[in-house]
Amino acid sequence: MAALHEEVRTRYHIAVCTRFVERVCVDTPSPTAEFIYKMALNENLKDITDVCTLPRVSLLQLNSLPCSLVLQVSSSRDVTQPLRPCLDASEEEPILTAAFQKNLKTRLLRLVLSDGHSEVPAVELSTLSVFRSIPVPGEKLLVKEGAEIKNGAIIMTDDCVVPLGGGVQQLKKEVLIQQSRSDAPRFQPLRFGVSTPAGARAAAGPLSDSFDRDRGGNVGRARGRGLGYRGGRGSGYRGQRPHNHHYNRPQ
């Protein structure tokens, strides 16, 4: 068991725990390290690892990754696209957008990678050819030794990142729930000059009626004092000279 555990870690850069190796051995007699590695690709790293493989020091202090690691995608998105799609968007728009981005190379991925215990962001500064599509949470990536790190984030390039596939069904279900478009905003046109329906006024209750009465009474009192609707000078002041005792003083 210990020999298989160590071989998987050194050869395939994934630190599976001995409990996972024992579970595989129960289901499959005499498994190889390659078989255990392929089984691990379809498991959640949080459940099959018991040690943190990412550097314990802050990534802000590192310029490159000290060793090769198999990491799991926790979240992924294209930063050139809006976070929430409009509910009125057609189903063909994402397909056309994906094809358009693929041709013009305008996609920029931002991933959050995990070893099962800690996370690290990873970004691409230009559209990489190794990603045929946006990785789904649960997929595994091999990040090679020497990958550049800037401001605590791994800079992904075609030479340092290898997609390994795999997946976790539970994580995929969570992504589908989060990407549900039921709460997406629907376009509402702005209408001018539309009176409030009677039903809406009735739903507002007596508070709305009392507000209208107070508003009308205040306007009437303001006009009685010669003031305009907005508190300016009204018709009561037109044609009147200002009261000034210096007005008729002889020159």
Side-chain angles (χ1 to χ4, degrees):
M1 298 293 179
L4 280 175
H5 167 267
E6 188 63 26
E7 184 180 357
V8 173
R9 179 170 185 172
T10 56
R11 184 177 177 184
Y12 297 101
H13 313 290
I14 179 170
V16 294
C17 61
T18 55
R19 290 181 289 102
F20 176 70
V21 176
E22 292 174 356
R23 190 181 74 187
V24 174
C25 292
V26 170
D27 298 334
T28 305
S30 303
T32 62
E34 182 181 2
F35 181 82
I36 296 175
Y37 159 73
K38 291 182 178 180
M39 292 288 293
L41 294 181
N42 294 315
E43 297 285 342
N44 192 342
L45 292 185
K46 183 178 180 180
D47 300 330
I48 64 172
T49 59
D50 52 8
V51 294
C52 178
T53 56
L54 284 170
R56 295 184 180 276
V57 298
S58 174
L59 292 179
L60 293 173
Q61 304 175 9
L62 299 177
N63 296 323
S64 62
L65 199 65
C67 60
S68 299
L69 296 174
V70 171
L71 301 176
Q72 178 175 276
V73 178
S74 296
S75 65
S76 60
R77 79 178 189 93
D78 182 0
V79 297
T80 65
Q81 296 301 305
L83 289 174
R84 298 175 63 193
C86 180
L87 190 60
D88 297 291
S90 62
E91 297 296 336
E92 293 81 6
E93 286 189 19
I95 301 175
L96 295 176
T97 302
F100 181 76
Q101 289 179 338
K102 184 177 180 180
N103 293 334
L104 295 185
K105 299 184 181 302
T106 58
R107 182 205 67 207
L108 292 176
L109 290 179
R110 185 188 188 278
L111 309 179
V112 177
L113 304 179
S114 171
D115 63 353
H117 304 276
S118 57
E119 294 182 338
V120 57
V123 297
E124 61 175 1
L125 303 182
S126 61
T127 305
L128 303 182
S129 59
V130 295
F131 294 113
R132 296 184 178 180
S133 60
I134 297 179
V136 179
E139 293 185 12
K140 309 300 188 294
L141 298 178
L142 172 62
V143 184
K144 297 182 180 180
E145 178 183 357
E148 185 180 7
I149 297 177
K150 285 187 177 181
N151 297 327
I154 297 175
I155 306 301
M156 297 185 295
T157 62
D158 289 326
D159 297 330
C160 72
V161 176
V162 179
L164 302 176
V168 181
Q169 194 64 28
Q170 181 61 31
L171 296 180
K172 290 183 179 180
K173 290 181 180 179
E174 293 177 359
V175 171
L176 292 177
I177 294 175
Q178 293 176 358
Q179 292 182 349
S180 175
R181 298 171 59 179
S182 59
D183 61 343
R186 184 184 293 276
F187 174 74
Q188 294 291 343
L190 181 62
R191 297 183 176 88
F192 294 93
V194 179
S195 59
T196 304
R201 293 178 61 86
L207 182 61
S208 176
D209 297 336
S210 62
F211 174 78
D212 291 339
R213 287 196 299 269
D214 294 342
R215 180 172 174 268
N218 291 334
V219 172
R221 287 192 293 271
R223 289 177 177 173
R225 292 195 299 268
L227 299 177
Y229 175 72
R230 297 185 180 276
R233 294 183 179 273
S235 59
Y237 287 90
R238 293 178 182 175
Q240 296 182 5
R241 294 179 178 178
H243 181 71
N244 192 338
H245 62 280
H246 298 292
Y247 183 78
N248 295 322
R249 175 178 294 181
Q251 301 295 331

